[in-house]
Amino acid sequence: MDGKHMQIGEVAARTELSLRTIRHYEETGLVTPSARSQGGFRLYTETDVARLMVIRRMKPLGFTLDQMRDLLDATDRLDGPGPLPTEQREALLARVRSYQRDAAEQVGRLRVQLARAEEFEAALRTRAEGEAPADRP
C-alpha cells in the first residue's frame, strides 16, 4: 500500500466526489479512512481512493449500496494477502463476473439512451437553425 496519506479535500478533488458524498460512503461503511492526523482529520491512502473510484463508477449504473459493498468485499478478499482455497476463489470470481455482466447490460441500455438523446439534440439543432426537421414534410 502506498504510504502517502491525503486529507478529504484532496480525495474529493481526485475522485470528483463531494465531501458530503465521501462522508456518506464512510457512514455506510463502504470506505473507511486509513488513519487520522494528530489533529483528528481523516487520512486516506491510494487504496481508499481506488475504493471510492469503484463506488463512483458503480453508482451511475444503478448499483445499490449493498451491491457496492458486496463487490468491494469480493475484490478485497481476492486481493487479500495469501492464496485462497480454489473453491472460495472461484466463488468470489463468479460474484465479480456477475457484476461485470450487470454492468455490461446497463452500459448497453445507456448507449441506446445516449443515441436517442443525440438524435433529439440534432433535431432541435436543425429546428433552431430555422430548418424543418428531416422527419417532417
Side-chain angles (χ1 to χ4, degrees):
M1 181 179 354
D2 185 345
K4 180 181 181 246
H5 287 88
M6 297 163 266
Q7 289 190 10
I8 195 169
E10 183 178 348
V11 173
R14 293 258 316 268
T15 60
E16 299 178 351
L17 293 168
S18 70
L19 302 183
R20 183 176 175 201
T21 297
I22 293 169
R23 288 188 187 112
H24 174 68
Y25 292 149
E26 287 175 17
E27 289 165 12
T28 57
L30 286 173
V31 66
T32 306
S34 293
R36 291 226 178 227
S37 70
Q38 288 182 334
F41 292 106
R42 300 168 176 89
L43 297 175
Y44 303 82
T45 62
E46 291 296 333
T47 301
D48 300 324
V49 169
R51 287 178 75 81
L52 285 164
M53 292 302 291
V54 168
I55 296 163
R56 193 188 95 180
R57 290 176 179 129
M58 289 182 82
K59 186 154 179 47
L61 296 177
F63 289 103
T64 66
L65 294 178
D66 284 341
Q67 289 173 314
M68 294 175 191
R69 192 175 292 109
D70 183 55
L71 178 61
L72 287 166
D73 174 65
T75 56
D76 286 348
R77 290 168 62 192
L78 284 166
D79 295 343
L84 291 168
T86 302
E87 191 174 297
Q88 194 176 47
R89 186 174 185 283
E90 286 305 314
L92 291 168
L93 287 172
R95 278 167 57 192
V96 172
R97 286 186 202 106
S98 173
Y99 284 107
Q100 184 273 322
R101 284 191 301 272
D102 291 348
E105 284 179 25
Q106 185 60 16
V107 166
R109 285 192 287 272
L110 288 169
R111 279 200 178 104
V112 170
Q113 287 181 350
L114 178 61
R116 289 176 182 158
E118 288 172 336
E119 289 169 5
F120 178 64
E121 185 276 331
L124 288 176
R125 187 174 350 111
T126 300
R127 174 66 74 182
E129 292 167 357
E131 301 170 28
D135 60 347
R136 290 203 171 188

